């Protein structure tokens, strides 16, 4: 995983700010894995994608994630923190395709973990049911032993549910649920934590703050952006403190 320097983050944010969040997540991976084709990164399972994003976040900004939400019952604001080491799985899924047999071996079913391309295609369908059906069609394949293709709507519903449960268990890194308790009303609830959105928000905040610092230093000292970006963060901060003194 390539280390991102301040100028890398600026370029990443500038080029990716107008992209869809799914594409932003893949563009982040492309910046730290420059030798891997973009489509190959887009085809990573969502769990593996988020595993890399969590690891990158730890290397950039540390292990602690400040977080905020509102109680689902009384709407009281809650501030808390998450440790990446508490939610990061200890290994990648390694493979995203699995097989099983059904109906006394008469049906061969192949299914794989959803990736960014699958989710993007599902979202384009517009409504939840159509999106769900699109995911099923893209991620589950079924053939009879004679080679005849079985349509997704011909697969028994209980088998579909079993497969989706298996996908959720294998791909658990892609859905991180936090168990929370409101200190005001004692309401217990869960919050879904999305590292892709969280990290991009941090990259945006970092980039805008960095541009403000560059503006200040360039205005007062006449240095170019390139010269300022070659400085260490500590040195830039020291100059900024002298300006404000």
């Amino acid at each position: 995983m390539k280390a991102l320097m301040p100028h890398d983050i600026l370029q990443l944010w500038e080029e990716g700010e107008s992209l869809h969040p799914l594409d932003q997540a893949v563009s982040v991976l492309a910046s730290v894995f420059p030798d891997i084709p973009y489509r190959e990164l887009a085809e990573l399972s969502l769990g593996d994608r988020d595993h890399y994003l969590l690891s990158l976040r730890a290397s950039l900004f540390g292990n602690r994630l400040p977080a905020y939400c509102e109680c689902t019952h009384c709407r009281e604001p809650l501030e808390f923190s998450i440790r990446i080491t508490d939610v990061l799985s200890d290994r990648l899924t390694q493979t995203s395709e699995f097989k099983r047999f059904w109906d006394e071996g008469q049906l061969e079913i192949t299914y794989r973990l959803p990736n960014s391309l699958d989710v993007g295609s599902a979202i384009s369908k517009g409504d939840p049911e159509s999106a769900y059906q699109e995911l099923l069609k893209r991620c589950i394949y079924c053939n009879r032993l004679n080679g005849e293709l079985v349509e997704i709507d011909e697969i028994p519903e209980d088998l579909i549910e079993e497969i989706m449960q298996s996908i959720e268990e294998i791909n658990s890194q892609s859905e991180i649920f936090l168990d929370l308790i409101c200190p005001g009303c004692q309401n217990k609830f869960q919050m879904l934590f999305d590292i892709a959105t969280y990290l991009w928000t941090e990259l945006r905040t970092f980039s805008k703050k960095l541009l403000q610092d560059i503006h200040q230093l360039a205005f007062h000292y006449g240095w170019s952006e390139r010269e300022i970006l070659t400085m260490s963060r500590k040195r830039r901060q020291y100059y900024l403190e002298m300006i404000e003194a």
Side-chain angles (χ1 to χ4, degrees):
M1 184 181 290
K2 171 190 170 184
L4 291 184
M5 304 303 291
H7 65 272
D8 296 319
I9 297 176
L10 268 182
Q11 182 176 354
L12 173 62
W13 167 72
E14 183 179 7
E15 295 177 353
E17 182 66 5
S18 61
L19 298 177
H20 187 280
L22 285 168
D23 298 312
Q24 289 174 343
V26 179
S27 69
V28 171
L29 294 183
S31 69
V32 294
F33 294 112
D35 297 329
I36 300 179
Y38 186 92
R39 185 173 182 86
E40 186 175 330
L41 294 171
E43 290 176 342
L44 285 172
S45 70
L46 297 180
D48 284 356
R49 181 202 70 176
D50 288 358
H51 183 282
Y52 287 125
L53 292 178
L54 283 164
S55 300
L56 174 61
R57 198 282 175 186
S59 69
L60 287 175
F61 304 118
N63 184 51
R64 180 177 170 273
L65 295 156
Y68 163 89
C69 73
E70 290 185 349
C71 173
T72 56
H73 178 67
C74 69
R75 314 312 300 178
E76 178 176 338
L78 278 68
E79 293 185 6
F80 55 96
S81 63
I82 310 163
R83 291 187 303 179
I84 291 177
T85 48
D86 289 340
V87 297
L88 182 65
S89 62
D90 57 1
R91 63 184 184 277
L92 299 171
T93 56
Q94 300 298 324
T95 179
S96 62
E97 191 170 277
F98 307 87
K99 288 183 181 293
R100 68 172 57 187
F101 292 90
W102 187 262
D103 192 19
E104 298 182 349
Q106 295 303 304
L107 293 180
E108 180 187 58
I109 299 169
T110 303
Y111 60 97
R112 60 176 178 78
L113 306 181
N115 57 42
S116 299
L117 299 177
D118 299 322
V119 175
S121 180
I123 291 174
S124 70
K125 297 303 177 181
D127 65 272
E129 180 57 30
S130 297
Y132 178 70
Q133 291 300 320
E134 178 68 7
L135 275 181
L136 294 182
K137 291 177 182 178
R138 292 178 64 93
C139 297
I140 301 176
Y141 314 92
C142 183
N143 293 280
R144 301 190 189 279
L145 288 185
N146 61 11
E148 178 187 353
L149 179 66
V150 178
E151 297 295 334
I152 193 69
D153 54 9
E154 297 179 55
I155 302 176
E157 187 61 32
D158 56 343
L159 177 55
I160 293 291
E161 293 178 1
E162 185 179 325
I163 292 173
M164 295 305 291
Q165 180 64 35
S166 174
I167 288 176
E168 289 179 11
E169 292 173 357
I170 298 169
N171 207 30
S172 59
Q173 184 74 94
S174 67
E175 288 192 331
I176 300 173
F177 285 96
L178 306 176
D179 295 316
L180 302 171
I181 302 177
C182 174
C185 69
Q186 302 302 308
N187 175 44
K188 296 181 180 180
F189 63 101
Q190 286 188 322
M191 184 188 82
L192 177 63
F193 174 70
D194 179 9
I195 181 57
T197 301
Y198 188 101
L199 179 56
W200 189 264
T201 300
E202 285 191 310
L203 294 174
R204 178 191 298 123
T205 300
F206 176 89
S207 297
K208 289 184 176 182
K209 176 61 168 61
L210 181 57
L211 288 175
Q212 291 172 352
D213 293 347
I214 291 171
H215 170 74
Q216 283 278 79
L217 294 173
F219 180 81
H220 286 276
Y221 294 103
W223 297 324
S224 68
E225 181 179 279
R226 181 185 296 272
E227 291 172 322
I228 295 169
L229 288 174
T230 59
M231 298 178 187
S232 68
R233 185 173 184 177
K234 179 180 289 188
R235 180 175 292 189
R236 287 198 307 269
Q237 186 59 38
Y238 185 69
Y239 282 122
L240 289 168
E241 289 174 0
M242 288 193 291
I243 291 173
E244 297 171 359

